Amino acid sequence: MPANKLELWMWMESERILHPVFREFYAERDVVFEERRMRTDSTPLASSRKSSPLCSGNRRVRLAHGGWPSDIPAISKAQADDFYGTYYSPQNITLILVVTSSRIRPKRRP
């Protein structure tokens, strides 16, 4: 991103977080479910997770990456709004800024 657009980007992101608009919630929820199925359930390790006695069942000791498959279709818009309101707030934001410049040159050792 060009340096002169950083302030604009930060303003746009702050507005997006402060005033979210959740359009087509159920369609997006279905996309999340499908992406989880493609990336997690379709891996070679997925079948070993299902057949292993240590990993079987819906035990809370083992957390599923991307959520439990049964939880994703079950979430409602109100639950998503509550989650967003709790965890997506300005004090939880981390910005990592990486700068490259041709004017900055490493010092050479003699």
Side-chain angles (χ1 to χ4, degrees):
M1 160 183 348
N4 65 344
K5 299 296 182 189
L6 181 61
E7 185 177 357
L8 173 64
W9 178 84
M10 292 170 68
W11 174 79
M12 289 171 54
E13 285 300 302
S14 67
E15 286 297 308
R16 184 180 66 84
I17 291 172
L18 285 172
H19 310 290
V21 177
F22 296 110
R23 296 184 180 103
E24 300 183 24
F25 170 76
Y26 295 101
E28 287 298 318
R29 183 189 65 182
D30 294 342
V31 168
V32 170
F33 184 74
E34 183 63 22
E35 286 177 355
R36 185 199 184 284
R37 188 188 66 75
M38 287 183 346
R39 288 183 175 68
T40 304
D41 297 341
S42 297
T43 64
L45 292 175
S47 60
S48 66
R49 282 188 214 121
K50 291 176 187 172
S51 63
S52 171
L54 297 174
C55 298
S56 63
N58 192 1
R59 299 181 337 170
R60 294 295 175 198
V61 175
R62 182 181 156 269
L63 299 176
H65 177 72
W68 293 103
S70 59
D71 290 344
I72 297 170
I75 191 169
S76 68
K77 184 171 182 324
Q79 290 171 317
D81 288 340
D82 288 343
F83 183 88
Y84 190 91
T86 301
Y87 297 104
Y88 284 73
S89 58
Q91 64 267 22
N92 291 340
I93 295 174
T94 301
L95 173 66
I96 298 173
L97 185 63
V98 178
V99 179
T100 59
S101 174
S102 59
R103 289 183 252 163
I104 299 173
R105 302 206 187 262
K107 291 182 179 179
R108 294 186 182 200
R109 295 183 177 196

